[in-house]
Amino acid sequence: MTPYVRAKKHLGQHFLVDQNIARKIVDALQEKNRETLEIGPGTGVLTQFLKPEFPHFLVSEIDTESVEFLREKFPDLNIIEGDFLKLDMVSLFKSELSIIGNFPYNISSQILFKVLENRNMVVEVVGMFQKEVAQRIASPSGSKEYGILSVLMQAYYNIEYLFSVSPDVFSPPPKVQSGVVRFVRKENFVLPCNEKLFFQVVKTTFNQRRKTIRNSIKPLTVDRTKIDDFYLNNRPEQLNVDQFVEICQMLEA
Ligand code: SAH
């Protein structure tokens, strides 16, 4: 008998039941021949389409019950049992990889930060997020959704908001709307500035997003006088990726 998977809230388990939407998510991933990792396959609604079409395919699943279910349903599936956030990507993957998943919403920011950390390997991502998170990542400077993850992700990836998904196609239904996003790494993904400084400036200034850069950058011990007034007088949410890079270049000059 196939084991039964009881949906666990603390693991963000909302199983997609609509086969057409599952198909659409899988079709959104452009490159089939790259190593491809699915995060959180659950009972395998995406896996069933991914496995036959992606020759270098593996999954990362934390839930023992889901793992047992998947082993039964797909006997030769390559499953890495455990927490994706603890996965050592460098030792696991040869070079480049794609990531796909209907992600557990409770750890979506952490998944994105892990993608950023491994940006030299992660070329493409197709993921379902809570709609607000999906929109935030894709939103341009000047909008109220624009934040740390928007700047950092947009610095390295071209981002497309693909489509929205309503709660009633999941079991159990989540309380929020969902959105599917595709990231494709930019051709040139090395910024023309000190990248550690770039991360620090973005994170520090957005911690006080209502203040101007002049004030929000204070916690960083940098020489503010090197930055042009135009940037100092703006709030972080008004600056795009290139402008954050320019701030870093001025600080380094
Ligand atoms: N892809 C399936 C399940 C989505 S629910 C579907 O669309 O139906 C989210 C899945 O992520 C669950 O299977 C959950 O067990 C798994 N998960 C949650 N936290 C995880 C983590 N830290 N690492 C790996 N998988 C995780």
Side-chain angles (χ1 to χ4, degrees):
M1 203 185 84
T2 310
Y4 170 76
V5 180
R6 181 179 40 90
K8 295 157 211 78
K9 207 173 171 184
H10 72 284
L11 293 178
Q13 290 183 339
H14 298 278
F15 299 113
L16 181 63
V17 288
D18 187 314
Q19 300 293 314
N20 293 326
I21 294 176
R23 180 78 257 178
K24 239 172 110 177
I25 295 173
V26 169
D27 285 347
L29 198 58
Q30 293 170 331
E31 175 58 58
K32 291 198 162 60
N33 288 318
R34 200 179 284 136
E35 288 195 271
T36 302
L37 174 70
E38 182 187 357
I39 303 174
T43 52
V45 68
L46 302 179
T47 318
Q48 64 179 332
F49 297 119
L50 288 160
K51 192 172 168 294
E53 291 172 24
F54 290 70
H56 312 285
F57 177 65
L58 67 171
V59 305
S60 156
E61 175 57 65
I62 198 170
D63 176 35
T64 321
E65 243 176 23
S66 295
V67 169
E68 277 173 31
F69 183 96
L70 291 164
R71 287 214 172 104
E72 187 106 347
K73 198 166 165 187
F74 311 100
D76 57 347
L77 178 64
N78 188 353
I79 306 176
I80 305 160
E81 190 170 354
D83 185 350
F84 165 72
L85 297 175
K86 299 203 177 117
L87 209 70
D88 178 5
M89 311 253 276
V90 178
S91 68
L92 198 59
F93 296 98
K94 280 194 264 337
S95 55
E96 302 196 320
L97 78 141
S98 303
I99 291 179
I100 187 166
N102 166 12
F103 297 139
Y105 297 166
N106 50 333
I107 57 164
S108 40
S109 302
Q110 293 163 75
I111 291 175
L112 290 167
F113 278 112
K114 189 159 173 127
V115 167
L116 281 169
E117 254 170 57
N118 293 281
R119 60 187 179 273
N120 57 334
M121 302 179 77
V122 183
V123 181
E124 188 181 355
V125 181
V126 168
M128 178 135 66
F129 296 88
Q130 178 173 339
K131 188 174 178 179
E132 283 169 14
V133 174
Q135 285 174 324
R136 179 190 306 275
I137 309 161
S139 70
S141 58
S143 62
K144 72 173 193 306
E145 292 86 21
Y146 186 68
I148 294 177
L149 275 170
S150 331
V151 188
L152 297 180
M153 292 304 296
Q154 289 169 27
Y156 300 104
Y157 292 88
N158 291 316
I159 297 168
E160 276 171 278
Y161 185 94
L162 299 177
F163 54 91
S164 303
V165 181
S166 74
D168 57 9
V169 298
F170 297 90
S171 170
K175 289 202 178 68
V176 293
Q177 297 278 329
S178 302
V180 177
V181 188
R182 174 170 53 220
F183 319 129
V184 177
R185 196 178 61 191
K186 292 184 175 172
E187 200 72 44
N188 182 358
F189 62 97
V190 178
L191 301 181
C193 69
N194 179 329
E195 295 187 301
K196 200 175 156 217
L197 180 65
F198 174 80
F199 273 68
Q200 284 176 337
V201 169
V202 173
K203 286 183 177 176
T204 308
T205 55
F206 270 101
N207 272 337
Q208 292 165 292
R209 57 182 291 139
R210 308 303 303 167
K211 291 192 180 171
T212 59
I213 298 291
R214 188 186 315 280
N215 292 313
S216 60
I217 206 167
K218 269 186 196 160
L220 271 188
T221 45
V222 293
D223 182 2
R224 283 188 294 170
T225 62
K226 289 180 164 179
I227 305 173
D228 282 0
D229 273 347
F230 166 80
Y231 302 86
L232 290 175
N233 293 335
N234 264 303
R235 284 183 272 143
E237 58 196 14
Q238 293 159 318
L239 301 178
N240 62 28
V241 171
D242 291 343
Q243 292 170 319
F244 275 106
V245 168
E246 284 157 19
I247 289 179
C248 294
Q249 289 170 334
M250 291 174 207
L251 288 172
E252 287 173 80

